[in-house]
Coordinates of all heavy atoms in Angstrom, one line a residue:
M1 N 0.9 -1.2 0.0 CA 0.0 0.0 0.0 C 0.9 1.2 0.0 O 1.8 1.3 0.8 CB -0.9 0.0 1.2 CG -1.9 1.1 1.3 SD -3.3 0.7 2.3 CE -2.6 0.6 4.0
G2 N 0.6 2.2 -0.9 CA 1.4 3.4 -1.0 C 1.1 4.3 0.2 O 0.2 4.1 0.9
K3 N 1.9 5.4 0.3 CA 1.8 6.3 1.5 C 0.4 7.0 1.4 O -0.3 7.2 2.4 CB 2.9 7.3 1.4 CG 3.1 8.0 2.8 CD 4.2 9.0 2.8 CE 4.2 9.7 4.2 NZ 4.9 11.0 4.1
G4 N 0.1 7.5 0.2 CA -1.2 8.2 0.0 C -2.4 7.3 0.4 O -3.3 7.8 1.1
Q5 N -2.3 6.1 0.0 CA -3.5 5.2 0.3 C -3.6 5.0 1.8 O -4.7 4.9 2.4 CB -3.2 3.8 -0.3 CG -3.7 3.8 -1.8 CD -3.4 2.4 -2.4 OE1 -2.3 1.9 -2.3 NE2 -4.4 1.8 -2.9
R6 N -2.4 4.9 2.5 CA -2.4 4.6 3.9 C -3.0 5.9 4.7 O -3.8 5.7 5.6 CB -1.0 4.4 4.5 CG -1.0 3.7 5.9 CD 0.3 3.1 6.2 NE 1.4 4.1 6.2 CZ 2.5 4.0 5.5 NH1 2.7 2.9 4.7 NH2 3.4 4.9 5.5
I7 N -2.7 7.1 4.2 CA -3.2 8.3 4.8 C -4.7 8.3 4.6 O -5.5 8.6 5.6 CB -2.5 9.5 4.3 CG1 -1.1 9.6 4.8 CG2 -3.3 10.8 4.7 CD1 -0.3 10.7 4.1
K8 N -5.2 8.0 3.5 CA -6.6 7.9 3.2 C -7.3 7.0 4.1 O -8.4 7.2 4.7 CB -6.9 7.5 1.7 CG -7.1 8.7 0.8 CD -7.6 8.3 -0.5 CE -7.3 9.3 -1.6 NZ -7.2 8.8 -2.9
A9 N -6.7 5.8 4.3 CA -7.3 4.8 5.1 C -7.4 5.2 6.6 O -8.4 5.0 7.3 CB -6.5 3.5 5.0
E10 N -6.3 5.9 7.0 CA -6.3 6.5 8.4 C -7.4 7.5 8.6 O -8.1 7.5 9.6 CB -5.0 7.1 8.7 CG -4.0 6.0 9.2 CD -2.6 6.6 9.3 OE1 -2.4 7.8 9.3 OE2 -1.6 5.8 9.3
R11 N -7.6 8.4 7.6 CA -8.6 9.4 7.7 C -10.0 8.8 7.8 O -10.8 9.2 8.5 CB -8.6 10.3 6.4 CG -7.5 11.4 6.6 CD -7.8 12.6 5.7 NE -6.6 13.4 5.5 CZ -6.1 13.7 4.4 NH1 -6.6 13.3 3.3 NH2 -5.0 14.4 4.3
R12 N -10.2 7.7 6.9 CA -11.5 7.1 6.9 C -11.8 6.4 8.2 O -12.9 6.6 8.8 CB -11.5 6.0 5.8 CG -12.9 5.6 5.5 CD -13.1 4.7 4.3 NE -12.1 3.6 4.3 CZ -11.2 3.4 3.3 NH1 -11.2 4.2 2.3 NH2 -10.4 2.4 3.4
S13 N -10.8 5.8 8.8 CA -11.1 5.1 10.1 C -11.3 6.1 11.2 O -12.1 5.9 12.1 CB -10.0 4.1 10.5 OG -8.8 4.8 10.8
K14 N -10.7 7.3 11.2 CA -10.9 8.3 12.1 C -12.4 8.9 12.0 O -13.0 9.1 13.0 CB -10.0 9.5 11.9 CG -8.9 9.6 13.0 CD -8.0 10.8 12.8 CE -6.6 10.6 13.3 NZ -5.7 11.6 12.8
R15 N -12.8 9.1 10.8 CA -14.1 9.6 10.5 C -15.2 8.6 11.0 O -16.1 8.9 11.7 CB -14.3 9.9 9.0 CG -15.5 10.7 8.8 CD -15.5 11.3 7.4 NE -15.5 10.2 6.4 CZ -14.6 10.2 5.4 NH1 -13.7 11.2 5.2 NH2 -14.6 9.3 4.5
E16 N -14.9 7.3 10.8 CA -15.8 6.3 11.2 C -15.9 6.2 12.7 O -17.0 6.0 13.3 CB -15.4 4.9 10.6 CG -15.9 4.7 9.2 CD -15.2 3.6 8.5 OE1 -14.5 2.8 9.1 OE2 -15.4 3.4 7.3
A17 N -14.8 6.4 13.4 CA -14.8 6.4 14.9 C -15.6 7.6 15.4 O -16.3 7.4 16.4 CB -13.3 6.5 15.4
Q18 N -15.5 8.7 14.7 CA -16.2 9.9 15.1 C -17.7 9.7 15.0 O -18.5 10.0 15.8 CB -15.8 11.1 14.3 CG -14.6 11.8 14.8 CD -14.0 12.8 13.9 OE1 -14.5 13.0 12.8 NE2 -13.1 13.6 14.3
I19 N -18.1 9.0 13.9 CA -19.5 8.8 13.6 C -20.1 7.8 14.7 O -21.1 8.0 15.3 CB -19.8 8.2 12.2 CG1 -19.5 9.3 11.2 CG2 -21.2 7.7 12.0 CD1 -19.4 8.8 9.8
R20 N -19.3 6.8 15.0 CA -19.7 5.8 16.0 C -19.8 6.5 17.4 O -20.8 6.2 18.1 CB -18.6 4.7 16.2 CG -19.0 3.4 15.5 CD -18.2 2.2 16.0 NE -16.8 2.4 15.9 CZ -16.0 2.3 14.8 NH1 -16.6 1.9 13.7 NH2 -14.7 2.4 14.8
K21 N -18.9 7.4 17.7 CA -19.0 8.1 19.0 C -20.2 8.9 19.1 O -20.9 8.9 20.0 CB -17.7 9.0 19.1 CG -17.5 9.5 20.5 CD -16.3 10.4 20.6 CE -16.3 11.1 22.0 NZ -15.6 12.3 21.9
R22 N -20.5 9.7 18.0 CA -21.7 10.5 17.9 C -23.0 9.6 18.1 O -23.9 10.0 18.8 CB -21.8 11.2 16.6 CG -21.6 12.7 16.7 CD -22.2 13.5 15.6 NE -21.9 13.0 14.3 CZ -20.8 13.4 13.6 NH1 -19.9 14.1 14.2 NH2 -20.6 12.9 12.4
A23 N -23.0 8.5 17.5 CA -24.1 7.6 17.5 C -24.4 7.0 18.8 O -25.5 6.6 19.1 CB -24.0 6.5 16.4
T24 N -23.4 6.9 19.7 CA -23.6 6.3 21.0 C -23.6 7.2 22.1 O -23.8 6.9 23.3 CB -22.6 5.2 21.2 OG1 -21.3 5.8 21.0 CG2 -22.7 4.0 20.2
E25 N -23.2 8.5 21.9 CA -23.1 9.5 22.9 C -24.5 9.9 23.5 O -25.4 10.2 22.7 CB -22.5 10.7 22.4 CG -21.4 11.3 23.2 CD -20.5 12.3 22.5 OE1 -21.1 13.3 22.0 OE2 -19.3 12.1 22.4
A26 N -24.7 9.8 24.8 CA -26.0 10.2 25.3 C -26.2 11.7 25.3 O -25.3 12.5 25.5 CB -26.0 9.7 26.8
A27 N -27.4 12.1 25.0 CA -27.8 13.5 25.0 C -29.1 13.6 25.7 O -29.8 12.7 25.9 CB -27.9 14.0 23.6
Q28 N -29.4 14.8 26.2 CA -30.6 15.0 26.9 C -31.8 15.0 26.0 O -31.8 15.6 24.9 CB -30.5 16.3 27.7 CG -31.7 16.5 28.7 CD -31.5 17.4 29.8 OE1 -32.1 17.4 30.8 NE2 -30.5 18.3 29.7
I29 N -32.9 14.4 26.5 CA -34.2 14.4 25.7 C -34.9 15.7 26.0 O -35.1 16.1 27.2 CB -35.0 13.2 26.1 CG1 -34.3 11.9 25.7 CG2 -36.4 13.3 25.4 CD1 -35.1 10.7 26.1
L30 N -35.3 16.5 25.0 CA -36.1 17.7 25.2 C -37.5 17.4 24.8 O -37.8 16.6 23.9 CB -35.5 18.8 24.2 CG -34.1 19.2 24.4 CD1 -33.7 20.3 23.4 CD2 -33.7 19.6 25.8
M31 N -38.4 18.0 25.4 CA -39.8 17.8 25.1 C -40.5 19.1 24.7 O -40.2 20.2 25.3 CB -40.5 17.3 26.4 CG -41.9 16.6 26.2 SD -42.5 16.1 27.8 CE -41.8 14.4 27.9
E32 N -41.4 19.0 23.8 CA -42.0 20.3 23.3 C -43.4 20.4 24.1 O -44.2 19.5 24.1 CB -42.3 20.3 21.8 CG -42.9 21.6 21.4 CD -43.1 21.7 19.9 OE1 -43.1 20.6 19.2 OE2 -43.3 22.8 19.4
C33 N -43.5 21.5 24.7 CA -44.8 21.8 25.4 C -45.9 22.1 24.4 O -45.7 23.0 23.5 CB -44.6 23.1 26.3 SG -46.2 23.7 27.0
P34 N -47.0 21.3 24.4 CA -48.0 21.5 23.4 C -48.8 22.8 23.6 O -49.5 23.2 22.7 CB -48.9 20.2 23.5 CG -48.6 19.7 24.9 CD -47.2 20.2 25.3
V35 N -48.7 23.4 24.8 CA -49.4 24.6 25.1 C -48.6 25.8 24.6 O -49.0 26.7 23.9 CB -49.7 24.7 26.6 CG1 -50.4 26.0 26.9 CG2 -50.5 23.5 27.1
A36 N -47.3 25.9 25.1 CA -46.4 27.0 24.8 C -45.7 26.8 23.5 O -45.2 27.8 22.9 CB -45.4 27.2 25.9
G37 N -45.6 25.6 23.0 CA -44.8 25.3 21.8 C -43.3 25.5 21.9 O -42.6 25.8 21.0
K38 N -42.9 25.4 23.2 CA -41.4 25.5 23.4 C -40.8 24.3 24.0 O -41.5 23.5 24.7 CB -41.2 26.7 24.4 CG -41.5 28.0 23.9 CD -41.3 29.0 25.0 CE -41.8 30.4 24.6 NZ -41.9 31.3 25.7
F39 N -39.6 24.0 23.7 CA -38.9 22.8 24.2 C -38.3 23.1 25.6 O -37.9 24.2 25.9 CB -37.8 22.4 23.2 CG -38.3 21.7 22.0 CD1 -38.6 22.5 20.9 CD2 -38.6 20.4 22.0 CE1 -39.1 21.9 19.7 CE2 -39.1 19.8 20.8 CZ -39.3 20.5 19.7
F40 N -38.3 22.0 26.4 CA -37.7 22.1 27.7 C -37.0 20.8 28.0 O -37.4 19.8 27.5 CB -38.7 22.5 28.8 CG -39.8 21.4 29.0 CD1 -39.6 20.4 29.9 CD2 -40.9 21.4 28.2 CE1 -40.6 19.4 30.1 CE2 -41.9 20.4 28.4 CZ -41.7 19.5 29.3
P41 N -35.9 20.9 28.8 CA -35.1 19.6 29.1 C -35.9 18.8 30.1 O -36.5 19.2 31.0 CB -33.8 20.2 29.7 CG -34.1 21.5 30.2 CD -35.3 22.1 29.3
T42 N -35.9 17.5 29.8 CA -36.6 16.5 30.7 C -35.7 16.0 31.8 O -36.2 15.4 32.7 CB -37.1 15.3 29.9 OG1 -36.0 14.7 29.3 CG2 -38.1 15.7 28.8
G43 N -34.4 16.2 31.7 CA -33.5 15.6 32.7 C -33.2 14.1 32.4 O -32.5 13.5 33.2
I44 N -33.7 13.6 31.3 CA -33.5 12.2 31.0 C -32.5 12.2 29.8 O -32.7 13.0 28.8 CB -34.8 11.5 30.6 CG1 -35.7 11.5 31.8 CG2 -34.5 10.1 30.1 CD1 -37.2 11.3 31.5
Y45 N -31.5 11.3 29.9 CA -30.5 11.2 28.8 C -30.7 9.9 28.0 O -31.0 8.9 28.6 CB -29.1 11.3 29.4 CG -28.8 12.7 29.9 CD1 -29.3 13.2 31.1 CD2 -28.0 13.6 29.1 CE1 -29.0 14.5 31.5 CE2 -27.7 14.9 29.5 CZ -28.2 15.3 30.7 OH -27.9 16.6 31.1
A46 N -30.4 10.0 26.7 CA -30.5 8.8 25.9 C -29.5 8.9 24.8 O -29.1 9.9 24.4 CB -31.9 8.7 25.3
D47 N -29.0 7.7 24.3 CA -28.2 7.7 23.2 C -29.1 7.7 21.9 O -30.2 7.2 22.0 CB -27.2 6.6 23.2 CG -27.8 5.2 23.1 OD1 -28.1 4.8 22.0 OD2 -28.2 4.7 24.2
P48 N -28.6 8.2 20.8 CA -29.5 8.3 19.6 C -30.1 6.9 19.2 O -31.2 6.9 18.7 CB -28.5 8.8 18.5 CG -27.5 9.5 19.3 CD -27.3 8.8 20.6
V49 N -29.3 5.9 19.3 CA -29.8 4.6 18.9 C -31.0 4.1 19.7 O -32.1 3.8 19.1 CB -28.7 3.5 19.0 CG1 -29.3 2.1 18.6 CG2 -27.6 3.8 18.0
S50 N -31.0 4.2 21.0 CA -32.1 3.9 21.9 C -33.3 4.9 21.6 O -34.4 4.5 21.6 CB -31.8 3.9 23.4 OG -30.5 3.4 23.6
F51 N -32.9 6.2 21.5 CA -33.9 7.2 21.3 C -34.7 6.9 20.0 O -35.9 6.9 20.0 CB -33.3 8.6 21.2 CG -34.3 9.7 21.1 CD1 -35.1 10.1 22.2 CD2 -34.5 10.3 19.9 CE1 -36.0 11.1 22.1 CE2 -35.4 11.3 19.8 CZ -36.2 11.7 20.8
N52 N -34.0 6.7 18.9 CA -34.7 6.4 17.7 C -35.4 5.1 17.7 O -36.3 4.8 16.9 CB -33.7 6.5 16.5 CG -33.1 7.9 16.3 OD1 -33.9 8.8 16.5 ND2 -31.9 8.0 15.9
G53 N -35.0 4.2 18.6 CA -35.7 2.9 18.7 C -37.0 3.0 19.4 O -37.8 2.0 19.5
G54 N -37.4 4.2 19.9 CA -38.7 4.5 20.4 C -38.9 4.0 21.9 O -40.0 3.9 22.3
T55 N -37.8 3.8 22.6 CA -37.8 3.4 24.0 C -38.3 4.5 24.9 O -38.7 4.2 26.0 CB -36.4 2.9 24.4 OG1 -35.8 2.3 23.4 CG2 -36.5 2.0 25.6
F56 N -38.4 5.7 24.4 CA -38.6 6.8 25.3 C -40.0 7.5 25.0 O -40.1 8.7 25.2 CB -37.5 7.8 25.2 CG -36.2 7.2 25.7 CD1 -35.3 6.7 24.8 CD2 -35.9 7.2 27.0 CE1 -34.1 6.1 25.2 CE2 -34.7 6.6 27.5 CZ -33.8 6.1 26.6
N57 N -40.9 6.8 24.6 CA -42.2 7.3 24.3 C -43.1 7.6 25.5 O -44.1 8.3 25.5 CB -43.0 6.5 23.3 CG -42.4 6.5 21.9 OD1 -41.8 7.5 21.5 ND2 -42.5 5.4 21.2
N58 N -42.7 7.0 26.6 CA -43.4 7.2 27.9 C -42.8 8.1 28.9 O -43.0 8.0 30.1 CB -43.8 5.9 28.5 CG -44.7 5.1 27.6 OD1 -45.7 5.6 27.1 ND2 -44.3 3.8 27.4
V59 N -42.0 9.1 28.4 CA -41.3 10.0 29.3 C -42.3 11.0 29.8 O -43.1 11.5 29.1 CB -40.2 10.8 28.5 CG1 -39.6 11.9 29.3 CG2 -39.1 9.8 28.0
N60 N -42.2 11.2 31.2 CA -43.0 12.2 31.8 C -42.2 13.3 32.4 O -41.2 12.9 33.1 CB -43.9 11.6 32.9 CG -45.0 10.7 32.3 OD1 -46.0 11.3 31.8 ND2 -44.9 9.4 32.3
A61 N -42.5 14.5 32.2 CA -41.7 15.6 32.8 C -42.5 16.8 33.1 O -43.4 17.1 32.4 CB -40.5 15.9 31.9
P62 N -42.3 17.5 34.3 CA -43.0 18.7 34.6 C -42.5 19.8 33.7 O -41.4 20.0 33.4 CB -42.6 19.0 36.0 CG -41.3 18.3 36.2 CD -41.3 17.1 35.3
C63 N -43.5 20.6 33.1 CA -43.2 21.6 32.2 C -43.0 23.0 32.8 O -43.8 23.4 33.6 CB -44.4 21.7 31.2 SG -44.2 23.0 30.0
P64 N -41.8 23.6 32.6 CA -41.6 24.9 33.1 C -42.4 26.0 32.4 O -42.5 27.2 33.0 CB -40.1 25.1 32.9 CG -39.8 24.3 31.7 CD -40.7 23.1 31.7
H65 N -43.0 25.8 31.3 CA -43.7 26.8 30.5 C -45.2 26.9 31.0 O -45.6 28.0 31.2 CB -43.6 26.5 29.1 CG -42.2 26.4 28.5 ND1 -41.4 27.5 28.6 CD2 -41.5 25.4 27.9 CE1 -40.2 27.2 28.0 NE2 -40.3 25.9 27.6
C66 N -45.9 25.8 31.2 CA -47.3 25.9 31.5 C -47.6 25.3 32.9 O -48.7 25.4 33.4 CB -48.1 25.3 30.4 SG -48.0 23.5 30.4
G67 N -46.6 24.6 33.5 CA -46.8 24.0 34.8 C -47.4 22.6 34.8 O -47.5 22.0 35.9
A68 N -47.9 22.2 33.7 CA -48.5 20.9 33.6 C -47.4 19.8 33.5 O -46.2 20.1 33.2 CB -49.5 20.8 32.5
K69 N -47.8 18.5 33.7 CA -46.9 17.4 33.5 C -47.2 16.8 32.1 O -48.3 16.5 31.8 CB -47.0 16.4 34.6 CG -45.8 15.5 34.7 CD -45.9 14.7 36.0 CE -44.6 14.0 36.3 NZ -44.7 13.1 37.4
H70 N -46.2 16.9 31.2 CA -46.4 16.3 29.9 C -45.8 14.9 29.8 O -44.8 14.6 30.4 CB -45.8 17.2 28.8 CG -46.3 18.6 28.8 ND1 -47.7 18.9 28.7 CD2 -45.7 19.8 28.9 CE1 -47.9 20.2 28.8 NE2 -46.7 20.8 28.8
S71 N -46.4 14.1 28.9 CA -45.8 12.8 28.6 C -45.4 12.8 27.2 O -45.8 13.6 26.4 CB -46.8 11.7 28.9 OG -47.8 11.7 27.9
G72 N -44.5 11.8 26.9 CA -44.0 11.7 25.5 C -45.1 11.5 24.5 O -44.9 11.8 23.3
S73 N -46.2 11.0 24.9 CA -47.3 10.8 23.9 C -48.1 12.0 23.5 O -48.6 12.1 22.5 CB -48.2 9.7 24.4 OG -48.7 10.0 25.7
D74 N -48.1 13.0 24.5 CA -48.8 14.2 24.1 C -47.9 15.4 23.7 O -48.4 16.4 23.2 CB -49.8 14.7 25.1 CG -49.2 15.1 26.5 OD1 -48.1 15.6 26.5 OD2 -49.9 14.8 27.5
A75 N -46.6 15.2 23.9 CA -45.7 16.2 23.5 C -44.6 15.6 22.6 O -44.4 14.4 22.6 CB -45.0 16.8 24.8
E76 N -43.9 16.5 21.9 CA -42.9 16.0 21.0 C -41.6 15.9 21.7 O -41.2 16.8 22.4 CB -42.8 16.9 19.7 CG -42.1 16.3 18.6 CD -42.3 17.0 17.3 OE1 -43.2 17.8 17.2 OE2 -41.4 16.7 16.4
L77 N -40.9 14.8 21.4 CA -39.6 14.6 22.0 C -38.5 14.7 21.0 O -38.6 14.3 19.8 CB -39.5 13.2 22.6 CG -40.4 12.8 23.7 CD1 -40.3 11.3 24.0 CD2 -40.2 13.6 24.9
V78 N -37.4 15.4 21.3 CA -36.2 15.5 20.5 C -35.0 15.3 21.3 O -35.0 15.4 22.5 CB -36.1 16.8 19.7 CG1 -37.2 17.1 18.8 CG2 -36.0 18.0 20.7
L79 N -33.9 14.9 20.7 CA -32.7 14.7 21.4 C -31.8 15.9 21.2 O -31.6 16.4 20.1 CB -32.0 13.5 20.8 CG -31.1 12.6 21.7 CD1 -31.7 12.2 22.9 CD2 -30.6 11.4 20.9
A80 N -31.4 16.5 22.3 CA -30.5 17.7 22.3 C -29.2 17.4 21.6 O -28.7 16.2 21.7 CB -30.3 18.2 23.7
N81 N -28.6 18.3 20.9 CA -27.3 18.0 20.4 C -26.2 19.0 20.8 O -26.5 20.0 21.4 CB -27.4 17.8 18.8 CG -28.2 18.9 18.1 OD1 -27.9 20.0 18.2 ND2 -29.3 18.6 17.6
Ligands
ZN1 ZN1 -46.3 22.8 29.0

């Protein structure tokens, strides 16, 4: 393998490692208040794979915007980045 090819291979494996890290890094789940239309942190952390797997549809969190307790089923959940 020539020098150029080796550098390319190293760059590729670094990039793949970064993607893997991003994919498994836990981030806080944010919930959208259906009343105020604003997102607020739930205090619950998830990694993107579990989050996208739908494991967090039953998250309950008190809302700082309207004071009610929202659940994942009546509010929209997103993963903070
Ligand atoms: Zn609310």
Side-chain angles (χ1 to χ4, degrees):
M1 183 157 68
K3 199 180 175 201
Q5 277 178 308
R6 196 165 58 235
I7 289 169
K8 260 187 205 163
E10 276 170 19
R11 279 204 196 122
R12 192 171 52 236
S13 69
K14 252 184 209 164
R15 195 167 57 230
E16 280 165 6
Q18 279 170 351
I19 291 167
R20 258 200 305 281
K21 194 179 169 210
R22 252 205 308 277
T24 54
E25 227 167 55
Q28 188 159 201
I29 296 175
L30 303 178
M31 196 180 273
E32 186 179 16
C33 169
V35 181
K38 291 177 185 168
F39 284 91
F40 63 94
T42 59
I44 297 160
Y45 288 78
D47 65 88
V49 174
S50 319
F51 182 75
N52 293 327
T55 323
F56 297 93
N57 289 331
N58 294 314
V59 171
N60 286 286
C63 176
H65 300 300
C66 72
K69 204 170 190 184
H70 300 307
S71 72
S73 52
D74 64 32
E76 196 166 342
L77 298 174
V78 295
L79 209 52
N81 44 65

